[in-house]
Amino acid sequence: MALPPEFHEIAKRVNNWGRWGEDDEIGTLNLVTDEVVRSAAAGVRTGRRIPLALPLQQDGVQTGLIPGRINPLHTMIAVNQRMFGPGTVATSDDVVTMALQAATHWDALTHVSHSGRIYNGRPADSITAHGRSAFSGIHTARHIVSRGVLLDVARARGTDRLDGDHAVTPEDLEAAEDLAGTTVRPGDVVLVRTGQIQHYLAGDRHGYAFPSPGLSIRCPEWFHARDVAAVANDTLTFEIFPPEIEDLWLPVHALDLVEMGMLQGQNWNLEELSEACAEEGRHAFLLSAMPEPFVGGTGTPVAPVAIL
Amino acid sequence: MALPPEFHEIAKRVNNWGRWGEDDEIGTLNLVTDEVVRSAAAGVRTGRRIPLALPLQQDGVQTGLIPGRINPLHTMIAVNQRMFGPGTVATSDDVVTMALQAATHWDALTHVSHSGRIYNGRPADSITAHGRSAFSGIHTARHIVSRGVLLDVARARGTDRLDGDHAVTPEDLEAAEDLAGTTVRPGDVVLVRTGQIQHYLAGDRHGYAFPSPGLSIRCPEWFHARDVAAVANDTLTFEIFPPEIEDLWLPVHALDLVEMGMLQGQNWNLEELSEACAEEGRHAFLLSAMPEPFVGGTGTPVAPVAIL
Amino acid sequence: MALPPEFHEIAKRVNNWGRWGEDDEIGTLNLVTDEVVRSAAAGVRTGRRIPLALPLQQDGVQTGLIPGRINPLHTMIAVNQRMFGPGTVATSDDVVTMALQAATHWDALTHVSHSGRIYNGRPADSITAHGRSAFSGIHTARHIVSRGVLLDVARARGTDRLDGDHAVTPEDLEAAEDLAGTTVRPGDVVLVRTGQIQHYLAGDRHGYAFPSPGLSIRCPEWFHARDVAAVANDTLTFEIFPPEIEDLWLPVHALDLVEMGMLQGQNWNLEELSEACAEEGRHAFLLSAMPEPFVGGTGTPVAPVAIL
Amino acid sequence: MALPPEFHEIAKRVNNWGRWGEDDEIGTLNLVTDEVVRSAAAGVRTGRRIPLALPLQQDGVQTGLIPGRINPLHTMIAVNQRMFGPGTVATSDDVVTMALQAATHWDALTHVSHSGRIYNGRPADSITAHGRSAFSGIHTARHIVSRGVLLDVARARGTDRLDGDHAVTPEDLEAAEDLAGTTVRPGDVVLVRTGQIQHYLAGDRHGYAFPSPGLSIRCPEWFHARDVAAVANDTLTFEIFPPEIEDLWLPVHALDLVEMGMLQGQNWNLEELSEACAEEGRHAFLLSAMPEPFVGGTGTPVAPVAIL
């Protein structure tokens, strides 16, 4: 099963290898200049903050379908332990085991390879079980702060939640831009809302996982044309799942991460943000979505915040 | 070994129990109003971002002294796995096990109890090994974004790094305020730089751990008078270690977390920030330091960023 | 909800506190004398070995119902890593995270407390999150080797698998003794086969978990009368589940572990052993079921073997 | 750095590929016939049991030198939790994270590869981060019960503990055989005592790790000639470390695991056994050393027991 010609044609059009030098490890994050951030901070109107991460707990979004991608397991190593004798202060400590892509997360550029390559043409086998990723590990994405724009596709289509078989198209993104009253600009981080996460919030993990609306294979070209820095949404699979083209699995992942060098975010809870943006009549904000700097990690949990 | 009278006297003066209602779980984070954040965002000048987290890796700051507080263990569950057949895209996935207080972190208010109580007078045994913290778990600190102020005590004292037996006093903080050219205001997050983390950065974990400069037992009153929202620094122990008063262990933890309900941050790398602030002649900035929302967690890794 | 009078009456009759001294931590394992083992070894006829542990894997018996009791998560830290340069030998290494009671396991005596006590009258709060169990941790059960006797209740009742609502009674055990052609003796480890594990082996984890046949509240007295050293079976819950007496949960656990000080084993795969014993016409064997010596552990995975 | 000619010459002489068929995954464990086990059981004299595993705890033998090979981290998910209401029984549960080769363990045949091959000529890349080992994972070594023979080299040389630079030779093994008063036979599991573990038992982890006495590159031929089933000893490195031949790292591992297909055990505590064998004047016993059946694992913790 090789990748079909239509994939390779799109790949050619969105490819960013070499664009920021052959040593580059961060891809489209290069588009987030100080000026982009300065301007986004200047756009803050109220100081209202909306967090976008799901709670981290055993009862998370993972269903067990992807072996080993476990929900956060939170255990205790001390509960009110008086290390220095009775009567003194007591401390409580805890430990977590979790898959880096289990919850609200960023995929690192290394999360996907195709045809033996990762972003910027490096060999896929530069990712190993011992040294982890020699290039583009999530720790190289040092800081992700930029203008965020909510493209509320569900609301733009007049619905709470897109159907499970809805592929989000560039036309959908532009309709959401119209609703937002702003145009996506170079260096923006785009948050695409489908409403799919409502399944999980209502207690239905399996309904959340599959079938899922998500980005169409046509979206990466749109992101590329707008020079977007990163994209996140409120689904488990990011792209429509099952896929649009039979047997072409995860094409959007391959185009975004490998060809463009553009980070993807998944399982972001955009419900409260959707309400807030509608209330305030603004869909652009300062977004801080800092990766935890796992050295060589192929992803990271993230606790993003929109500052309106 | 009971807590001495001088501890209880300070405790009385800084106590915030009931100040934000008997149901409050977040303490001084209540001081971060939208207006504080709006004003901090308006103060951004250049858009330069400085990340403050240490890399997450096995070779982290923990030395093994605190049993179970392990450095991040990063392992792989898939390396370039072709789930959908040869020739298609391949994915890599990973897992981490780590103590929530192992690296650059926030202590939750529940990290410490004394005299059977946690913040707001709740019983210490509301922290359990199964339900974790019924109140004030780190997930309740939903968003931490505010004005940050670097109090560069080392630089204000004309040194790179404070000595291991230096207790940072209110006078030190005020000298650093003078250097900063700003006054700490209600709702600020204060970052106190000692330079101690240079030991770790130079490869000496044990020298970093102990002896360590850190906050004096006199600091909490100063923080209380200024109505600071949270405090972080660049040491493992936060407060001077070994302690100033014999057999009075972790008094600053107990005053900050239990009495005031004020979050503490440890192992923050303030070296690059110190350089940047000196270069730009500004020591105040927009700070985003979002907790990962571990439900009931007594702490969390954090990837803070200063936006100048 | 207090424990009912009938529970306390049985408890009084089977109680072993003080029987082996007030310092004892291992309870009925005291019954396994060298002579018991010598005689069991002398009874080996063919040297055939039957392992009784389930495979350790993510796809284990846990369904997620008990929060945190995760199936084994097996991850890699190195795959064919050449630490000493290309061309030399390469090593592969791995890590596991698992609940100690997740798979084929022994419960330690500390796994259950009631009325504030564990075995031998010690306070339940001698089990802590930091120091773990001060007494009777699984490491104190240093070696478990004895005569094993398979009481094949399912086969004795002429069925492959007991119904989900079948409480195994002393009469069932005696019918199985008749089938076995041997009498249970002091120091024996008794393996009670229900056939319930066939659900799991056929891929139905939920059917395996619940409803489940298992030991009746009447069994502990029988074990006490025979001076059995330990009991294991092929179910998740050990005792019948849901319980025989409304709102009296886990009474057999409380009687076995707390009152008698008798270890229990769960999720033992007795299918192959059942076939082998039937073929050879013998149901007694040398059993080795060594606990992994987790210091202070409240349970342990175990890889038992019957030597026929 | 390729493997030197002397390695390849020995490799040719001890190679067992194909000896038990091209589909074989367990190598020399094929030598443990029912008759070997029956005879070993018949040799039990007293029924005395000696456990050989080190306690599993954070303060284990690993020093951090091998990244990721962490000592057992034991954490709690419940402490005296009353799931069914106050007054009823309470349960305690725990979780462990540990490297499979961290403590007293067996190496699986897959732990080492050389020249791109593992045992029986299979490709090294049949070990992956996702599917783990397709062949010879530790779960394939279903049961390890056999005659054990203690070759107490330290005692035979009239010392408590061999020097750190002592390579154990075939002559040493034969001197220990003389002391033991028995000859090693096909199917035996040989335990070689150096006394090195006394360093760890005395609290010196670093002295235990390095320098370490251990098996000479000449030993595998001796094991091959005797048709030994498996070998374990009381060191971290198994073979002498640093190695006898400059830049030839882990040659014994490569010969035992890859060429012969013979399991190796490390960090076995043979001190109590040494005393017991000396007291009883017998150095052969029934040994049960069951692997925990981690599917695809490249090693496993083991809790061996000698039955005298």
Side-chain angles (χ1 to χ4, degrees):
Chain A
M1 191 71 259
L3 295 165
E6 57 258 62
F7 174 85
H8 288 292
E9 279 155 31
I10 303 175
K12 221 171 296 170
R13 292 197 292 269
V14 302
N15 185 280
N16 280 327
W17 297 4
R19 178 172 171 189
W20 295 283
E22 61 178 21
D23 291 337
D24 181 59
E25 303 187 39
I26 62 170
T28 53
L29 290 180
N30 284 291
L31 297 163
V32 186
T33 60
D34 285 359
E35 175 52 25
V36 164
V37 179
R38 196 205 54 71
S39 157
V44 169
R45 288 289 166 274
T46 62
R48 183 174 176 184
R49 290 132 288 151
I50 313 286
L52 309 178
L54 293 171
L56 293 167
Q57 54 189 348
Q58 259 287 283
D59 202 19
V61 297
Q62 299 300 321
T63 59
L65 260 181
I66 301 177
R69 202 183 271 186
I70 62 159
N71 286 312
L73 174 68
H74 176 221
T75 63
M76 301 303 289
I77 52 177
V79 175
N80 292 309
Q81 179 179 15
R82 281 181 197 82
M83 277 198 270
F84 308 106
T88 63
V89 305
T91 56
S92 298
D93 273 82
D94 30 20
V95 164
V96 71
T97 298
M98 66 182 291
L100 294 181
Q101 286 102 342
T104 303
H105 71 274
W106 285 119
D107 285 342
L109 299 186
T110 50
H111 175 50
V112 160
S113 65
H114 81 81
S115 315
R117 297 285 153 182
I118 58 168
Y119 168 66
N120 226 2
R122 293 194 169 96
D125 63 12
S126 61
I127 306 165
T128 65
H130 38 284
R132 284 84 213 203
S133 314
F135 307 102
S136 294
I138 196 64
H139 67 293
T140 62
R142 287 180 82 220
H143 39 60
I144 307 184
V145 177
S146 191
R147 188 173 85 132
V149 176
L150 177 67
L151 296 185
D152 195 337
V153 174
R155 192 178 292 263
R157 293 184 61 93
T159 182
D160 259 8
R161 182 165 55 72
L162 301 178
D163 289 339
D165 62 353
H166 185 94
V168 172
T169 61
E171 293 73 31
D172 286 333
L173 299 177
E174 289 174 8
E177 253 185 327
D178 285 346
L179 174 74
T182 189
T183 302
V184 170
R185 302 193 297 236
D188 280 353
V189 175
V190 170
L191 311 185
V192 180
R193 180 171 169 269
T194 69
Q196 174 75 0
I197 210 163
Q198 293 170 11
H199 286 297
Y200 171 70
L201 297 175
D204 181 7
R205 276 198 278 198
H206 291 275
Y208 173 56
F210 173 89
S212 179
L215 300 180
S216 159
I217 193 174
R218 294 175 49 218
C219 288
E221 281 191 87
W222 193 87
F223 298 136
H224 189 253
R226 301 295 181 106
D227 260 345
V228 161
V231 177
N233 72 13
D234 55 353
T235 71
L236 187 77
T237 54
F238 192 71
E239 50 192 283
I240 182 165
F241 201 87
E244 298 159 282
I245 300 172
E246 210 186 326
D247 277 333
L248 180 53
W249 302 93
L250 302 183
V252 179
H253 278 68
L255 293 167
D256 286 355
L257 299 169
V258 180
E259 299 294 332
M260 296 176 62
M262 185 183 78
L263 290 199
Q264 294 183 167
Q266 283 146 275
N267 303 314
W268 292 37
N269 183 354
L270 305 176
E271 296 302 293
E272 184 180 353
L273 181 63
S274 171
E275 289 305 310
C277 288
E279 278 165 37
E280 305 212 358
R282 286 184 304 127
H283 289 71
F285 35 82
L286 180 64
L287 179 79
S288 174
M290 292 288 291
E292 300 286 340
F294 289 100
V295 176
T298 71
T300 181
V302 63
V305 61
I307 307 164
L308 271 70
Chain B
M1 192 71 261
L3 296 164
E6 57 257 61
F7 174 86
H8 288 292
E9 280 155 32
I10 302 176
K12 222 171 296 171
R13 292 197 293 269
V14 303
N15 185 279
N16 281 326
W17 297 4
R19 179 173 171 187
W20 296 284
E22 60 178 20
D23 290 338
D24 181 58
E25 302 188 40
I26 62 169
T28 53
L29 289 181
N30 284 291
L31 297 163
V32 186
T33 61
D34 284 0
E35 174 52 26
V36 164
V37 178
R38 196 204 55 71
S39 157
V44 168
R45 289 288 167 274
T46 61
R48 181 173 176 186
R49 291 133 288 151
I50 313 286
L52 309 178
L54 293 171
L56 292 168
Q57 54 188 347
Q58 260 286 283
D59 202 20
V61 297
Q62 299 301 320
T63 59
L65 260 182
I66 301 177
R69 202 183 273 184
I70 61 160
N71 286 313
L73 174 68
H74 176 220
T75 64
M76 301 304 288
I77 53 176
V79 175
N80 291 310
Q81 179 179 14
R82 281 181 196 83
M83 279 198 270
F84 308 107
T88 64
V89 303
T91 56
S92 297
D93 272 81
D94 29 21
V95 164
V96 71
T97 298
M98 66 182 290
L100 294 182
Q101 286 103 341
T104 303
H105 71 274
W106 285 119
D107 285 342
L109 299 186
T110 50
H111 175 51
V112 160
S113 64
H114 81 80
S115 314
R117 298 283 152 182
I118 58 168
Y119 168 66
N120 225 3
R122 292 194 170 97
D125 63 11
S126 61
I127 307 164
T128 65
H130 37 286
R132 282 85 213 204
S133 313
F135 308 102
S136 294
I138 197 63
H139 66 293
T140 63
R142 287 180 80 221
H143 39 61
I144 307 183
V145 177
S146 191
R147 189 173 85 130
V149 176
L150 177 66
L151 295 185
D152 196 336
V153 174
R155 193 179 291 262
R157 294 182 61 92
T159 182
D160 258 9
R161 181 164 57 70
L162 300 178
D163 288 338
D165 62 353
H166 185 94
V168 172
T169 62
E171 293 74 31
D172 286 334
L173 299 177
E174 289 175 7
E177 254 187 327
D178 285 346
L179 175 74
T182 189
T183 302
V184 170
R185 301 194 298 236
D188 281 354
V189 175
V190 170
L191 311 185
V192 179
R193 179 170 170 270
T194 69
Q196 174 75 359
I197 210 163
Q198 293 169 11
H199 286 297
Y200 172 70
L201 298 174
D204 180 7
R205 275 198 277 198
H206 291 275
Y208 173 56
F210 173 89
S212 178
L215 300 180
S216 161
I217 192 173
R218 294 175 51 216
C219 289
E221 281 192 86
W222 193 87
F223 298 137
H224 188 253
R226 302 296 180 106
D227 261 344
V228 161
V231 177
N233 72 12
D234 56 352
T235 71
L236 186 78
T237 53
F238 192 71
E239 50 193 283
I240 182 164
F241 201 88
E244 297 159 283
I245 300 173
E246 209 186 326
D247 277 333
L248 180 52
W249 302 93
L250 303 183
V252 179
H253 278 68
L255 293 167
D256 287 355
L257 298 170
V258 181
E259 299 294 332
M260 297 177 59
M262 185 182 79
L263 291 198
Q264 294 183 166
Q266 283 146 274
N267 303 314
W268 292 37
N269 183 353
L270 305 176
E271 296 301 294
E272 184 180 352
L273 180 63
S274 171
E275 290 304 310
C277 288
E279 279 166 36
E280 305 212 358
R282 286 184 304 127
H283 289 70
F285 35 81
L286 181 64
L287 179 79
S288 175
M290 292 288 291
E292 300 285 340
F294 289 100
V295 176
T298 72
T300 181
V302 62
V305 61
I307 308 164
L308 271 69
Chain C
M1 192 72 259
L3 295 165
E6 58 256 61
F7 174 85
H8 288 291
E9 280 155 32
I10 302 175
K12 222 171 295 171
R13 292 198 291 269
V14 302
N15 185 278
N16 281 327
W17 297 3
R19 178 172 172 190
W20 296 283
E22 60 177 21
D23 291 338
D24 181 57
E25 304 188 39
I26 62 169
T28 53
L29 289 180
N30 283 291
L31 297 163
V32 186
T33 60
D34 285 0
E35 174 52 26
V36 164
V37 178
R38 196 205 53 71
S39 156
V44 169
R45 288 289 166 275
T46 62
R48 181 173 176 185
R49 290 133 288 151
I50 314 285
L52 309 178
L54 293 170
L56 292 167
Q57 54 188 349
Q58 260 285 284
D59 202 20
V61 297
Q62 299 300 319
T63 59
L65 260 182
I66 302 177
R69 201 182 272 185
I70 62 161
N71 286 312
L73 173 69
H74 176 222
T75 63
M76 301 303 289
I77 52 177
V79 175
N80 291 310
Q81 180 179 15
R82 279 181 197 83
M83 279 198 270
F84 308 106
T88 64
V89 305
T91 57
S92 298
D93 272 81
D94 29 21
V95 164
V96 72
T97 298
M98 66 182 290
L100 294 181
Q101 286 101 342
T104 303
H105 71 273
W106 284 119
D107 285 342
L109 299 186
T110 50
H111 175 51
V112 160
S113 65
H114 82 79
S115 314
R117 298 285 153 184
I118 58 168
Y119 169 67
N120 225 3
R122 293 194 170 97
D125 63 12
S126 62
I127 306 164
T128 65
H130 38 285
R132 283 86 212 202
S133 313
F135 307 102
S136 294
I138 196 63
H139 67 293
T140 62
R142 287 180 82 219
H143 38 60
I144 307 183
V145 177
S146 191
R147 189 173 86 131
V149 176
L150 177 67
L151 295 185
D152 196 336
V153 174
R155 193 178 292 261
R157 293 183 62 91
T159 182
D160 258 8
R161 182 165 55 72
L162 299 178
D163 288 339
D165 62 354
H166 185 95
V168 172
T169 62
E171 293 73 32
D172 286 333
L173 299 177
E174 289 175 7
E177 255 186 325
D178 286 346
L179 176 74
T182 188
T183 302
V184 170
R185 302 193 298 236
D188 280 353
V189 175
V190 170
L191 311 185
V192 179
R193 180 171 170 270
T194 69
Q196 174 75 0
I197 211 163
Q198 293 169 12
H199 287 297
Y200 171 70
L201 298 174
D204 181 6
R205 275 198 278 197
H206 291 276
Y208 173 56
F210 173 88
S212 178
L215 300 180
S216 160
I217 193 172
R218 295 174 50 217
C219 288
E221 281 191 86
W222 193 87
F223 298 137
H224 188 253
R226 302 295 181 106
D227 261 345
V228 162
V231 177
N233 73 13
D234 55 354
T235 71
L236 186 77
T237 54
F238 193 70
E239 50 193 283
I240 182 163
F241 202 88
E244 296 160 283
I245 301 173
E246 209 185 327
D247 277 332
L248 180 53
W249 302 92
L250 303 183
V252 179
H253 279 67
L255 293 167
D256 286 356
L257 299 170
V258 180
E259 299 295 331
M260 296 177 60
M262 185 182 79
L263 290 198
Q264 294 181 167
Q266 284 147 274
N267 303 315
W268 292 37
N269 183 354
L270 305 176
E271 296 301 294
E272 184 180 352
L273 181 64
S274 171
E275 289 305 311
C277 288
E279 279 165 36
E280 306 212 358
R282 286 184 304 128
H283 288 72
F285 36 82
L286 180 63
L287 178 79
S288 174
M290 293 288 291
E292 299 285 340
F294 289 100
V295 176
T298 72
T300 181
V302 63
V305 61
I307 307 164
L308 272 71
Chain D
M1 191 73 260
L3 294 166
E6 57 257 61
F7 173 85
H8 288 291
E9 279 155 32
I10 302 176
K12 221 170 296 171
R13 293 197 292 269
V14 301
N15 185 280
N16 281 327
W17 297 3
R19 178 171 171 190
W20 296 283
E22 62 178 21
D23 291 337
D24 181 58
E25 303 188 38
I26 62 170
T28 53
L29 290 180
N30 284 292
L31 297 163
V32 186
T33 60
D34 285 0
E35 175 52 25
V36 164
V37 178
R38 197 205 53 72
S39 157
V44 170
R45 288 289 165 275
T46 62
R48 181 175 177 184
R49 292 133 286 151
I50 313 284
L52 310 178
L54 293 171
L56 292 167
Q57 54 188 348
Q58 260 285 284
D59 202 21
V61 297
Q62 299 300 320
T63 59
L65 260 181
I66 301 177
R69 202 183 272 186
I70 62 160
N71 286 312
L73 173 69
H74 175 222
T75 64
M76 301 303 288
I77 51 176
V79 175
N80 291 309
Q81 180 179 16
R82 280 181 196 83
M83 279 198 269
F84 307 106
T88 63
V89 304
T91 55
S92 298
D93 271 82
D94 31 19
V95 164
V96 72
T97 299
M98 66 182 290
L100 294 182
Q101 286 102 343
T104 303
H105 71 273
W106 284 120
D107 286 342
L109 299 185
T110 50
H111 175 50
V112 160
S113 65
H114 81 81
S115 314
R117 298 284 154 183
I118 58 168
Y119 168 66
N120 226 2
R122 293 195 170 96
D125 63 12
S126 61
I127 306 165
T128 66
H130 37 284
R132 282 84 212 205
S133 313
F135 307 102
S136 295
I138 196 64
H139 66 294
T140 62
R142 286 180 83 219
H143 38 61
I144 307 184
V145 177
S146 190
R147 188 173 86 132
V149 176
L150 176 67
L151 296 185
D152 195 337
V153 175
R155 193 178 291 262
R157 294 182 61 92
T159 183
D160 258 8
R161 180 165 57 70
L162 300 178
D163 289 337
D165 63 353
H166 186 95
V168 172
T169 61
E171 293 74 31
D172 286 333
L173 299 177
E174 288 175 7
E177 254 186 326
D178 286 345
L179 175 75
T182 189
T183 302
V184 170
R185 303 194 296 235
D188 281 354
V189 175
V190 170
L191 311 185
V192 179
R193 180 172 170 269
T194 69
Q196 174 74 0
I197 210 163
Q198 293 170 11
H199 287 297
Y200 172 70
L201 297 174
D204 181 6
R205 275 199 276 199
H206 291 275
Y208 174 54
F210 173 88
S212 178
L215 300 180
S216 161
I217 194 173
R218 295 175 49 218
C219 288
E221 282 191 85
W222 193 87
F223 298 136
H224 189 253
R226 300 296 181 107
D227 260 345
V228 161
V231 177
N233 73 12
D234 56 352
T235 71
L236 186 78
T237 53
F238 192 71
E239 50 193 283
I240 182 164
F241 201 87
E244 296 159 285
I245 299 172
E246 210 187 325
D247 278 331
L248 180 54
W249 302 91
L250 303 182
V252 179
H253 278 68
L255 292 168
D256 287 355
L257 299 170
V258 180
E259 299 294 332
M260 296 176 61
M262 185 183 78
L263 290 199
Q264 294 182 168
Q266 284 146 274
N267 303 314
W268 293 37
N269 183 353
L270 305 176
E271 295 302 293
E272 185 180 353
L273 181 63
S274 170
E275 289 305 310
C277 288
E279 279 165 36
E280 305 212 358
R282 287 183 304 127
H283 289 71
F285 35 81
L286 180 63
L287 179 80
S288 173
M290 293 288 292
E292 300 285 341
F294 289 100
V295 176
T298 71
T300 181
V302 63
V305 61
I307 307 163
L308 272 70

